[in-house]
Amino acid sequence: MGYIEKTYGRSEKFLAFKVCFYDTLVPTREYKSGYAADRLARKCAARGLWCSLHGLAVVDGGCKWVEISAC
């Protein structure tokens, strides 16, 4: 069980992560590390930026992006 699964109580297995920004022109940032993605999302939220943390979850033999947290 990885950092994101423990921190957010998720049962999915995540292969990659991304942080998306809502109200700025900052591009989406992708990570292999859940810890690094979560750290960026928390820093941006503390600065007042609206963002969300997504994970690439393995579901039914395929993968799809799911929202883990909105900051």
Side-chain angles (χ1 to χ4, degrees):
M1 181 178 286
Y3 173 81
I4 293 293
E5 291 86 352
K6 288 179 189 173
T7 304
Y8 291 97
R10 303 298 294 245
S11 60
E12 300 97 339
K13 170 69 177 155
F14 295 106
L15 301 176
F17 303 90
K18 67 181 178 179
V19 178
C20 300
F21 298 91
Y22 294 120
D23 59 350
T24 66
L25 297 176
V26 178
T28 297
R29 296 188 185 174
E30 295 185 2
Y31 293 89
K32 288 188 177 183
S33 165
Y35 176 77
D38 187 51
R39 189 174 68 205
L40 175 69
R42 290 174 188 261
K43 279 184 182 178
C44 291
R47 292 182 189 147
L49 295 175
W50 291 93
C51 62
S52 63
L53 175 62
H54 295 259
L56 185 61
V58 177
V59 289
D60 300 326
C63 297
K64 73 173 190 175
W65 288 104
V66 295
E67 186 175 280
I68 298 170
S69 174
C71 312

